[in-house]
Amino acid sequence: GSKKAPTGKFPVIFEPRVAKSILNHIISALNGTSIINGTSFLKGKLNEPIFNKKINVIDDPHLSKGLGSKLFDAEGLGTKKIEVVSNGILKNYFLNLSSARQLGLNTNCNATRSLTSPPSIGISNAMIMPGSIDEKDMIKNIPDGFYITELLGSSVSLITGDYSRGASGFWIKNGNLTHPISEATIAGNLKEMFLQMVPASNLEFNSLVSSPSIFIKEMTIAGGSNT
């Protein structure tokens, strides 16, 4: 019984499982190797307000029962909790010794490795911290919007920030979830998305990358319907 989404600019909510993909893009864009190679649009953005003030991102290797918790990184350095984004301001890249040296910074002890590889850069327990708004209240405040439960395919450029993905979920009408939506495309730019992001309060720690639901004020939706 699914329908096509209307075409236009609408608010969207990413439910927690798909909101993790946004955090994955943040992690990739902040990888020290990408910064060094100039393949990230966040190069040179340290200490700048890149995100909405309500966005806080941390990487916590000491999280109790965290799947990525560890006392030492792959280079034998003691790990520490890192504030990646604080009140919307970019505070840290993800670095190991090599990338930190090339950037003239101190390592954040994010080195990882397999049995046969040299140290690379990874995470421990990365998360977007929860906000104060309940997801149900987010939905209630939307007259027309898209609640996204699945993302398909990927056309995301970390060089320019251009973002386009197939999506499905439910249409929000007058503050309620209504009919299912399939075969929709959502598009925007990560730079603008970061500035509009608002986190809900429903964070659960169930993987190395965790996120609450994320509200974005406006994205372009193409679904084939004009009503």
Side-chain angles (χ1 to χ4, degrees):
S2 63
K3 300 179 182 180
K4 290 187 176 181
T7 295
K9 294 186 176 182
F10 298 95
V12 302
I13 294 177
F14 291 81
E15 65 97 24
R17 187 170 53 87
V18 293
K20 293 178 188 179
S21 68
I22 298 178
L23 180 51
N24 279 322
H25 297 320
I26 295 172
I27 292 168
S28 297
L30 295 179
N31 185 294
T33 301
S34 297
I35 301 298
I36 292 165
N37 294 336
T39 56
S40 170
F41 68 94
L42 294 180
K43 180 179 180 179
K45 301 297 185 180
L46 280 181
N47 299 314
E48 293 188 14
I50 304 301
F51 298 81
N52 186 307
K53 291 181 179 180
K54 295 182 179 180
I55 295 297
N56 293 279
V57 180
I58 66 169
D59 188 38
D60 187 0
H62 302 156
L63 180 69
S64 177
K65 299 181 180 179
L67 295 177
S69 295
K70 53 195 172 186
L71 294 176
F72 300 91
D73 74 351
E75 293 172 322
L77 300 174
T79 54
K80 57 185 178 181
K81 179 179 176 180
I82 302 167
E83 281 192 334
V84 183
V85 178
S86 178
N87 298 323
I89 297 174
L90 179 59
K91 291 294 188 180
N92 283 288
Y93 298 133
F94 292 100
L95 303 170
N96 60 2
L97 282 172
S98 174
S99 60
R101 188 179 302 113
Q102 292 180 71
L103 291 170
L105 300 169
N106 295 321
T107 179
N108 290 328
C109 309
N110 285 118
T112 61
R113 69 188 302 169
S114 68
L115 293 175
T116 58
S117 69
S120 59
I121 300 171
I123 59 169
S124 55
N125 301 295
M127 65 198 79
I128 297 175
M129 298 304 290
S132 59
I133 305 174
D134 186 83
E135 184 193 67
K136 292 181 180 178
D137 292 328
M138 278 185 171
I139 295 171
K140 286 179 181 178
N141 291 323
I142 298 175
D144 265 303
F146 191 10
Y147 183 82
I148 300 170
T149 60
E150 186 176 7
L151 293 171
L152 308 168
S154 180
S155 178
V156 181
S157 171
L158 294 181
I159 298 176
T160 63
D162 289 338
Y163 181 99
S164 177
R165 299 197 67 177
S168 60
F170 296 88
W171 195 251
I172 302 170
K173 187 71 175 178
N174 297 325
N176 294 294
L177 297 182
T178 59
H179 56 271
I181 294 293
S182 62
E183 300 180 14
T185 300
I186 57 171
N189 187 283
L190 289 172
K191 299 173 188 177
E192 298 169 0
M193 292 165 63
F194 289 170
L195 288 171
Q196 296 181 45
M197 285 168 48
V198 176
S201 59
N202 57 343
L203 177 67
E204 294 183 3
F205 304 109
N206 49 20
S207 70
L208 298 180
V209 176
S210 302
S211 173
S213 294
I214 295 292
F215 167 84
I216 296 178
K217 185 177 179 180
E218 184 179 271
M219 292 190 71
T220 299
I221 299 174
S225 172
N226 292 317
T227 59

